[in-house]
């Protein structure tokens, strides 16, 4: 992908290590506020299954900046090909500070944050919030 910065991140489901998740947030936020094209992949892996998320920071066909998102589950032990699902694109992205409790729990300072994604009408894209909450609460 010429002219597009790329990055890959991985999180082990149930792990207490979240640096890659916070790294993903920083990568996306930095490109979002600078309006720079970017692609990031997040793999959430477990013993025999997982899920891949693909994030594209880019303008849409009308020149409005968005983060387009796809996701696909996989299972190592099943002979099943799961479909690639398209999440509604995020046209509004904001930083959400970690609570004091989260800062203590993850050993992170006030400079760490989560991201909140909203669609064109300003509705919260819950699939990403649920993913973030699931990963952060599972440790």
């Amino acid at each position: 992908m010429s002219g597009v910065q790329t990055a890959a991140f991985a999180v082990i489901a149930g792990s207490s290590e979240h640096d890659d998740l916070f790294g993903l947030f920083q990568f996306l936020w930095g490109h979002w506020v600078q309006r720079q094209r970017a692609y990031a992949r997040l793999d959430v892996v477990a013993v025999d299954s997982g899920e891949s998320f693909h994030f594209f920071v880019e303008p849409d066909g009308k020149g409005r900046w968005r983060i387009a998102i796809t996701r696909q589950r996989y299972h190592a032990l099943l002979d099943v090909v799961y479909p690639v699902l398209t999440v509604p694109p995020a046209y509004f992205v904001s930083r959400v500070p970690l609570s004091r409790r989260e800062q203590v729990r993850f050993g992170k300072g006030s400079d760490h944050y989560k991201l909140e994604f909203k669609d064109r009408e300003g509705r919260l894209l819950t699939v990403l919030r649920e993913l973030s909450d699931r990963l952060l609460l599972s440790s």
Side-chain angles (χ1 to χ4, degrees):
M1 296 197 295
S2 179
V4 176
Q5 287 190 320
T6 64
F9 303 91
V11 177
I12 299 172
S15 170
S16 61
E17 181 57 49
H18 297 93
D19 285 347
D20 264 18
L21 184 60
F22 291 117
L24 170 70
F25 295 156
Q26 291 175 338
F27 179 83
L28 291 174
W29 180 253
H31 289 83
W32 176 255
V33 298
Q34 295 295 318
R35 297 297 193 248
Q36 294 176 329
R37 289 178 178 267
Y39 163 77
R41 177 179 175 151
L42 172 66
D43 289 310
V44 180
V45 296
V47 173
D48 58 4
S49 62
E51 191 166 12
S52 293
F53 291 82
H54 303 266
F55 301 86
F56 304 86
V57 181
E58 62 187 9
D60 67 11
K62 295 183 178 179
R64 296 174 297 200
W65 280 86
R66 67 179 181 182
I67 298 180
I69 306 157
T70 64
R71 64 190 280 202
Q72 184 175 26
R73 293 185 175 139
Y74 57 89
H75 197 290
L77 302 178
L78 299 177
D79 190 21
V80 175
V81 177
Y82 291 95
V84 174
L85 303 174
T86 301
V87 176
Y91 284 89
F92 301 98
V93 181
S94 56
R95 294 189 335 175
V96 177
L98 296 179
S99 68
R100 182 73 182 124
R101 181 176 166 209
E102 289 171 323
Q103 289 177 28
V104 170
R105 182 176 184 185
F106 304 119
K108 304 295 181 193
S110 59
D111 58 331
H112 284 78
Y113 50 85
K114 300 180 280 188
L115 292 181
E116 185 171 81
F117 300 89
K118 293 183 179 179
D119 68 12
R120 195 177 342 205
E121 283 75 39
R123 292 181 300 239
L124 185 65
L125 297 174
T126 58
V127 66
L128 297 171
R129 181 176 208 148
E130 291 165 1
L131 168 70
S132 178
D133 289 347
R134 187 175 78 225
L135 291 173
L136 294 175
L137 296 175
S138 68
S139 57

